[in-house]
């Protein structure tokens, strides 16, 4: 059919859909990522600042942990959210370097932005970046060293101290590094499940009042009448762990029973009491002195145990119960009958102690101790929460270092060495377009030492020139010395990081950059994101119902 020589307009997408594509879309995505990088880069390094983030509910968070910042920023730009994903993956895989990975990814995009604007194919750029990434990772593996220290514990403490150097607790790093290393070494060395390290936060006191408990400690659970009559201290007690409710229930809530005589109702009540008494009697006969349950232990059972000098705690959280099982050798029982001696756990000391404004139950001297507890003290809730995040990073670093023992020097030394290597390789061995891309990747890695200098108030240009000279002269561990504001051998100064941190950061940053460069079209359905405003005069809540119901009404019509 002819339309007078004109091609008819074919509408495929819904009216109002925003469709952006081409080179301008790639540049727009890069700019969004650079905006995120600009927000987070000031938190990098020992002298990085903290961010104060306030959510919609007014909750405040003060932190310089990259993964936490990226999670709380609530980024809506679809391309920039990729940076949130790489920060989260770095936190899950390694635990540290979450700020570095976002900063490097942003800098790679910044360096290749001019090539995108000049019309270089994004596929050529991505191929060059992937090649540079492979070479960089191989170089890290080549220069990484296995420390010769006989004392493995000291090596782990130095790694933990480097991880804490940029955190709020770096002034107390000697105190906390020992705590962190002891905590990780107390775990099962085959599994190294960091979730078995319990962290409890109690407001008040000084940081040095924090405790390392070689066993389990948890806050006193909800208690009924009779609890205060129970003994609060035992030596070598037997411990039984239950998933059983020891509480009388009103049968009118649970079942419908039809009766003809009062005596029948009394028989039901007596049977219910007999059932719970049989359970408690069975527990008493096991010889256990500590009874723990995930489910409630009511006032009848609490008083019963108090009369027989038994301690009980109900509504114990699953995490705490799991750690008690790991430490004491007990096994969780779902019935009170047929509990054998091998099902019971034990520990050298059990006691309830006051810490600050809270009472805590302590299980210490456990035979199976494959778990531990860190009790953190501090002045404010936000402060203790940041200490917890700092310790998490250090714990993850120590955990990874036990399995991957190779290390590199920090303070920008590793990045500068890789940058020098890539520059010289590109000059000699890459004659075509990819030479510029590999050199851009090499330049992007220099953002780490440059940003460390900027955050510390040093002259970044002067420092980088001195670092380049040192690395050209063969000093591969030359990095920034923050104490003396100069360049020094950071390996000899024990500024150590696991090689895995650098490898993971470079790989994740490169993948994120390639993913963003590969997106040249964004289709956004505006109507689904911005529903029409409801009419005025509707009662409260009716607006939401109107919006929810509108789609269904249209479908029916």
């Amino acid at each position: 059919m002819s339309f007078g020589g004109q091609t008819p307009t074919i509408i495929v997408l819904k009216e109002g859909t925003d469709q952006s594509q081409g080179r301008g879309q790639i540049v727009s995505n890069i700019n969004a990522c650079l905006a995120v990088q600009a927000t987070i880069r000031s938190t990098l390094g020992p002298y990085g600042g903290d961010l104060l983030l306030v959510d919609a509910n007014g909750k405040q968070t003060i932190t310089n942990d990259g993964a936490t910042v990226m999670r709380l920023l609530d980024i809506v730009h679809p391309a920039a959210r990729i940076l949130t994903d790489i920060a989260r993956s770095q936190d899950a895989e390694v635990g540290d370097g979450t700020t570095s990975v976002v900063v490097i990814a942003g800098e790679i995009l910044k360096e290749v932005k001019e090539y995108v604007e000049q019309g270089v194919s994004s596929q050529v750029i991505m191929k060059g970046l992937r090649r540079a990434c492979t070479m960089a990772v191989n170089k890290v593996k080549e220069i990484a060293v296995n420390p010769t220290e006989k004392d493995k514990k000291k090596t782990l403490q130095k790694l933990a101290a480097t991880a804490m150097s940029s955190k709020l607790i770096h002034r107390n790093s000697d105190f906390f590094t020992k705590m962190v290393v002891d905590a990780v070494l107390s775990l099962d060395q085959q599994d190294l499940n960091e979730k078995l390290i319990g962290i409890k936060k109690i407001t008040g006191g000084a940081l040095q009042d924090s405790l390392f408990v070689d066993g389990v400690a948890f806050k006193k659970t909800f208690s009924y009448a009779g609890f205060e009559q129970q003994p609060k201290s035992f030596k070598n007690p037997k411990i039984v762990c239950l998933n059983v409710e020891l509480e009388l229930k009103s049968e009118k809530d649970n079942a419908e029973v039809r009766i003809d005589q009062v005596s029948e109702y009394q028989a039901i009540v007596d049977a219910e009491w007999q059932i719970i008494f049989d359970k408690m009697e069975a527990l008493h006969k096991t010889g256990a002195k500590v009874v723990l349950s995930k489910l409630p232990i009511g006032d009848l059972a609490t008083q019963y145990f108090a009369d027989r000098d038994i301690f009980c705690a109900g509504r114990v959280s699953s995490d705490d119960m799991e750690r008690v099982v790991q430490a004491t050798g007990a096994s969780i029982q779902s019935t009170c009958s047929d509990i054998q001696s091998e099902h019971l756990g034990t520990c050298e000391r059990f006691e309830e102690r006051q810490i600050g404004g809270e009472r805590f139950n302590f299980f210490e001297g456990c035979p199976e101790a494959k778990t531990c507890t860190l009790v953190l003290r501090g002045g404010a809730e936000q402060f203790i929460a940041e200490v917890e995040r700092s310790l998490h990073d250090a714990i993850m670093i120590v955990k990874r270092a036990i399995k991957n023992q190779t290390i590199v020097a920090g303070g920008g030394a590793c990045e500068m060495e890789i940058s020098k290597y890539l520059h010289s390789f590109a000059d000699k061995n890459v004659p075509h377009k990819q030479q510029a891309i590999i050199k851009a990747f090499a330049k992007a890695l220099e953002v780490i030492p440059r940003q460390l200098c900027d955050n510390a108030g040093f002259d970044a240009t002067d420092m980088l020139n001195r670092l380049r000279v040192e690395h050209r002269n063969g000093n591969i561990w030359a990095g920034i010395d923050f104490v003396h504001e100069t360049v020094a051998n950071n390996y000899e100064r024990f500024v150590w990081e696991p090689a895995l941190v650098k490898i993971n950061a470079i790989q994740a940053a490169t993948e994120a950059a390639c993913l963003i460069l590969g997106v040249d079209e964004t289709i956004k359905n505006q109507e689904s994101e911005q529903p029409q405003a409801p009419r005025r005069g509707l009662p409260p809540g009716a607006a939401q119902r109107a919006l929810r119901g509108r789609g269904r009404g249209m479908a029916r019509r």
Side-chain angles (χ1 to χ4, degrees):
M1 185 184 291
S2 173
F3 288 90
Q6 291 184 348
T7 305
T9 303
I10 299 173
I11 299 173
V12 176
L13 300 173
K14 191 188 292 184
E15 190 177 347
T17 300
D18 177 26
Q19 187 175 7
S20 311
Q21 62 186 126
R23 193 185 311 156
Q25 180 59 37
I26 298 176
V27 173
S28 170
N29 289 343
I30 291 174
N31 289 338
C33 294
L34 292 181
V36 174
Q37 185 215 35
T39 304
I40 201 174
R41 66 192 298 167
S42 62
T43 68
L44 185 71
Y47 292 94
D50 291 351
L51 293 183
L52 171 58
L53 299 147
V54 185
D55 66 9
N57 299 322
K59 184 186 174 187
Q60 302 168 343
T61 306
I62 300 172
T63 184
N64 69 355
D65 181 61
T68 307
V69 171
M70 295 301 289
R71 189 178 70 248
L72 295 175
L73 277 179
D74 196 17
I75 297 165
V76 294
H77 193 283
R81 281 162 85 171
I82 294 168
L83 298 183
T84 306
D85 293 338
I86 61 168
R88 192 181 291 126
S89 73
Q90 178 81 2
D91 192 45
E93 181 62 26
V94 189
D96 197 20
T98 48
T99 305
S100 301
V101 73
V102 176
V103 170
I104 292 172
E107 199 67 16
I108 291 171
L109 291 169
K110 182 180 175 183
E111 291 297 331
V112 301
K113 181 181 170 185
E114 63 172 299
Y115 301 113
V116 174
E117 291 171 337
Q118 289 167 9
V120 178
S121 167
S122 59
Q123 293 301 322
V124 172
I125 297 173
M126 287 158 63
K127 192 175 179 183
L129 291 179
R130 288 202 172 103
R131 183 176 179 185
C133 173
T134 304
M135 290 163 55
V137 168
N138 290 338
K139 184 64 176 175
V140 174
K141 291 176 180 175
E142 180 190 320
I143 64 175
V145 294
N146 203 331
T148 54
E149 287 209 22
K150 294 176 184 176
D151 191 348
K152 178 181 173 185
K153 205 168 180 180
K154 280 189 178 176
T155 303
L156 296 176
Q157 285 178 358
K158 285 165 186 170
L159 289 166
T162 304
M164 288 182 195
S165 65
S166 62
K167 306 297 182 186
L168 204 62
I169 56 174
H170 70 274
R171 289 185 183 85
N172 305 90
S173 61
D174 290 344
F175 177 77
F176 282 108
T177 49
K178 186 176 182 305
M179 186 183 284
V180 163
V181 173
D182 288 344
V184 178
L185 291 179
S186 70
L187 300 175
D188 183 351
Q189 296 302 293
Q190 298 299 317
D191 186 24
L192 285 177
N193 182 4
E194 74 277 1
K195 291 178 182 173
L196 292 176
I197 301 175
I199 298 182
K200 305 297 178 183
K201 297 171 283 189
I202 306 175
T203 313
L207 272 178
Q208 284 86 351
D209 294 334
S210 300
L211 301 172
F212 169 76
V213 181
D214 189 13
V216 181
F218 57 80
K219 190 176 169 183
K220 179 175 92 71
T221 58
F222 182 86
S223 56
Y224 290 87
F227 179 81
E228 293 303 334
Q229 298 169 30
Q230 293 179 352
K232 303 296 189 294
S233 177
F234 291 105
K235 284 194 175 180
N236 299 310
K238 290 182 179 177
I239 301 163
V240 63
C241 298
L242 301 172
N243 191 20
V244 177
E245 190 173 24
L246 297 174
E247 192 171 28
L248 281 168
K249 290 281 187 184
S250 179
E251 281 310 324
K252 68 176 187 291
D253 296 335
N254 293 337
E256 181 179 329
V257 181
R258 300 196 176 190
I259 55 175
D260 298 323
Q261 300 175 4
V262 174
S263 59
E264 292 177 1
Y265 179 72
Q266 187 62 44
I268 293 169
V269 173
D270 290 344
E272 188 182 9
W273 277 69
Q274 191 59 46
I275 289 168
I276 192 167
F277 270 114
D278 288 346
K279 288 180 180 177
M280 294 186 297
E281 188 65 31
L283 291 171
H284 176 50
K285 284 180 179 175
T286 62
K289 285 294 182 183
V290 178
V291 178
L292 305 176
S293 179
K294 290 184 182 181
L295 298 175
I297 296 179
D299 45 8
L300 173 69
T302 303
Q303 188 64 58
Y304 179 93
F305 291 134
D307 293 342
R308 287 154 183 78
D309 289 336
I310 297 173
F311 174 90
C312 71
R315 296 194 178 105
V316 179
S317 71
S318 295
D319 290 344
D320 289 333
M321 186 67 89
E322 176 61 28
R323 292 190 303 110
V324 169
V325 166
Q326 290 284 344
T328 63
S331 54
I332 297 177
Q333 302 297 303
S334 56
T335 176
C336 295
S337 58
D338 196 34
I339 297 179
Q340 306 296 325
S341 58
E342 60 267 23
H343 299 149
L344 304 178
T346 187
C347 64
E348 285 181 16
R349 290 178 311 284
F350 165 80
E351 65 177 326
E352 187 173 290
R353 296 207 299 263
Q354 188 83 14
I355 300 183
E358 307 285 356
R359 284 164 71 179
F360 267 70
N361 299 322
F362 286 83
F363 299 81
E364 295 175 294
C366 303
E368 302 283 328
K370 292 175 183 171
T371 180
C372 64
T373 307
L374 307 180
V375 181
L376 304 181
R377 306 296 308 279
E381 282 186 27
Q382 287 98 338
F383 185 77
I384 302 177
E386 179 63 4
V387 170
E388 182 187 11
R389 285 189 283 270
S390 305
L391 290 184
H392 168 264
D393 286 5
I395 285 168
M396 292 294 288
I397 284 291
V398 173
K399 174 186 169 181
R400 295 299 173 200
I402 289 173
K403 292 192 173 181
N404 302 276
Q405 296 182 0
T406 53
I407 62 166
V408 293
C414 184
E415 287 83 3
M416 288 302 294
E417 180 62 24
I418 298 167
S419 178
K420 182 211 81 172
Y421 166 69
L422 290 176
H423 272 300
S424 61
F425 182 87
D427 286 336
K428 295 173 188 173
N429 304 319
V430 187
H432 45 81
K433 290 180 188 175
Q434 285 188 16
Q435 183 187 66
I437 307 303
I438 292 174
K439 289 175 84 71
F441 186 96
K443 190 179 175 187
L445 289 176
E446 291 185 357
V447 71
I448 297 296
R450 188 187 309 120
Q451 194 61 45
L452 289 172
C453 291
D454 286 342
N455 292 348
F458 301 164
D459 184 344
T461 306
D462 175 51
M463 282 290 201
L464 252 68
N465 284 334
R466 287 159 71 181
L467 280 173
R468 289 187 189 110
V469 170
E470 287 288 333
H471 283 270
R472 290 258 153 77
N473 292 337
N475 185 0
I476 65 172
W477 300 128
I480 298 162
D481 178 358
F482 293 98
V483 178
H484 302 104
E485 197 171 333
T486 183
V487 171
N489 186 321
N490 275 354
Y491 185 82
E492 291 177 357
R493 296 185 64 80
F494 303 121
V495 182
W496 293 353
E497 294 184 67
L500 189 68
V501 174
K502 300 298 182 189
I503 291 170
N504 209 73
I506 291 169
Q507 288 176 331
T510 307
E511 282 306 315
C514 291
L515 198 59
I516 289 161
L517 289 168
V519 175
D520 68 344
E521 182 170 0
T522 304
I523 301 171
K524 198 186 289 186
N525 189 339
Q526 294 288 354
E527 193 172 336
S528 64
E529 287 195 357
Q530 298 172 352
Q532 296 175 9
R535 294 191 301 275
R536 292 182 181 177
L538 290 172
Q544 286 80 356
R545 289 195 294 276
L547 288 172
R548 283 199 299 269
R550 189 170 59 201
R552 291 195 293 271
M554 289 167 65
R556 281 197 294 274
R557 287 199 296 274

